[in-house]
Amino acid sequence: MHRLTVRATRGAAALGAAALLASCTGGAPSTPAPSEGRRTTPASPAPEKPARPASPAPSADPATPSAHLTGDTAALPLVAGAWGDGEGKTPPERLTWPPTARAADGSAPVRVTVKAPSPPSYASFMLHSRIDASGIPDEDTRRQRVLACGTGIADPGCRITDNNDGSYTVEVPGSPPEGHPYRVLYVQWAPDRPGAEETWASWQLPTG
């Protein structure tokens, strides 16, 4: 699982996560000194300024993304992630995959709604055909399908839609490939400034 998240992060970065320009700041202008020999009047003491009220404390994790199946309200299990200021979750050593009833008319669409402060720059559905004894997906490329979309991807395997309400739908157009029931959604956001920490998260989807 560690390989999965690290490799996805590197792959996303290689696919062109956007870099933002650093803002330029100018120095404050200096105050000219009084002319020599000129009599100056002592400055009167500045009036005391009223105390500024304290700003409200920020929420605990304002940038923590969340996800749920589109049309459902239950949060998907967070597998791993990092969202700045040292906040995040390390990949687990064990995953549990409860069985899910298949739709009578075939595979259900893979569609997830992600809530985050900014639009994703990259996403991928990582679909696996089998797992090991600890429930960790097998990452052998012969038994894994990666359906990716985002910046710099010419032939996307998924689609990201801005819902204009602080949420984004990430979905697989059409039917997902058969024989890959173990699914993880990986999402990455471009850094908001040069040198910023990577912001990404992955969620465990129900078996398909």
Side-chain angles (χ1 to χ4, degrees), residues 1 77-79 92-97 131 133-137 184 204:
M1 198 61 174
L78 178 67
V79 176
E93 296 182 358
R94 178 179 295 274
L95 282 176
T96 301
W97 299 83
I131 54 178
S134 298
I136 303 302
V184 174
Q204 180 182 6

Side-chain angles (χ1 to χ4, degrees), residues 4-143:
L4 182 147
T5 54
V6 169
R7 186 169 64 196
T9 302
R10 290 175 180 169
L15 288 168
L20 303 180
L21 296 175
S23 60
C24 298
T25 57
S30 59
T31 303
S35 303
E36 291 184 8
R38 182 181 297 176
R39 185 176 179 180
T40 58
T41 305
S44 58
E48 294 185 2
K49 295 181 179 180
R52 181 180 296 178
S55 301
S59 57
D61 292 320
T64 304
S66 63
H68 60 271
L69 293 177
T70 302
D72 195 359
T73 57
L76 290 171
L78 178 67
V79 176
W83 39 88
D85 297 328
E87 297 290 337
K89 181 180 180 181
T90 57
E93 296 182 358
R94 178 179 295 274
L95 282 176
T96 301
W97 299 83
T100 302
R102 292 176 178 270
D105 57 351
S107 298
V110 182
R111 187 177 298 124
V112 179
T113 299
V114 176
K115 292 185 177 180
S118 59
S121 56
Y122 171 87
S124 64
F125 288 96
M126 293 174 284
L127 314 180
H128 308 271
S129 60
R130 64 188 188 186
I131 54 178
D132 65 14
S134 298
I136 303 302
D138 181 355
E139 296 183 69
D140 190 310
T141 55
R142 295 170 297 179
R143 294 181 288 275

